[in-house]
Amino acid sequence: MRLAVFASGRGSNFQSLLNAKQAGNLPKAEFVLLVSDNPQARALEIARQNGIAARHFVFRGYADRAAYERAILEGLREREVEGICLAGYMRLLGETLLEAYRNRILNIHPALLPSFPGTHGQRDALEYGVKVSGCTVHFVDAGVDTGPIIAQRAVEVRDDDTEETLAARILEQEHQAYPEAVDLFTRGRLRIEGRRVRALD
Ligand code: GRF
């Protein structure tokens, strides 16, 4: 399955997907495009270093979200992209992309959804005082981190944690959970049944 990864920043999850591919753990995944909304994203650099096409689309250059997403969609079609992995992509997707790739877009979120959706999952969990947090891989729908859940990993929240130490502990789990979920997805092993996702393996 030909995949595009969307990333706005440093791209460690993108790198972990590439590592998994290189290790032979993603036999059916082919990473053919990196899309960013941020021309400074380190993820773009990672793509170029790995010989993967990299494109950035700056939002303010377009009339509205639909026009923005039509431009991205054209880029995806040029590369015959069949599925999308969001990996630290800081923009909500609109109808244009959601309809073109219905049930074919995955995201990784740094909290145990449905707790702590949005852009500060680690900080929000820490401030709330939970003792366990983690990460979630889910299908993307029109809501903020609301789509059907594919996989979750839990991590302990320690008394002396800061946002940074908790984020680092969660990130380790992200780097394992995302490639595993993408493997199931690209091998056609995931079935969405209402809100529930069944893995056929
Ligand atoms: C990760 O914590 C991911 O869960 C969240 O954004 C962060 C991206 O980190 N959606 P990176 O760019 O993959 O290093």
Side-chain angles (χ1 to χ4, degrees), residues 3 23 36 51-52 62 64 75 78 94 96 115 127 136 144-145 162 167 172 183 196:
L3 297 174
S36 188
I52 294 168
Y62 298 86
D64 53 24
E78 272 167 25
T96 307
S115 291
E127 284 178 357
T136 303
V144 179
D145 303 320
T162 61
E172 274 178 38
D183 180 49
R196 302 184 72 182

Side-chain angles (χ1 to χ4, degrees), residues 8-63:
S8 300
R10 78 191 150 179
S12 74
N13 277 288
F14 175 40
Q15 183 69 62
S16 82
L17 291 170
L18 298 180
N19 293 348
K21 175 71 194 165
Q22 195 155 22
N25 296 331
L26 283 172
K28 297 288 186 189
E30 202 187 335
F31 296 101
V32 298
L33 181 63
L34 187 282
V35 170
S36 188
D37 58 333
N38 168 16
Q40 262 80 54
R42 171 121 168 81
L44 287 164
E45 199 47 46
I46 295 173
R48 292 186 196 110
Q49 282 165 3
N50 285 274
I52 294 168
R55 307 242 346 232
H56 66 267
F57 297 85
V58 177
F59 183 68
R60 61 174 188 278
Y62 298 86

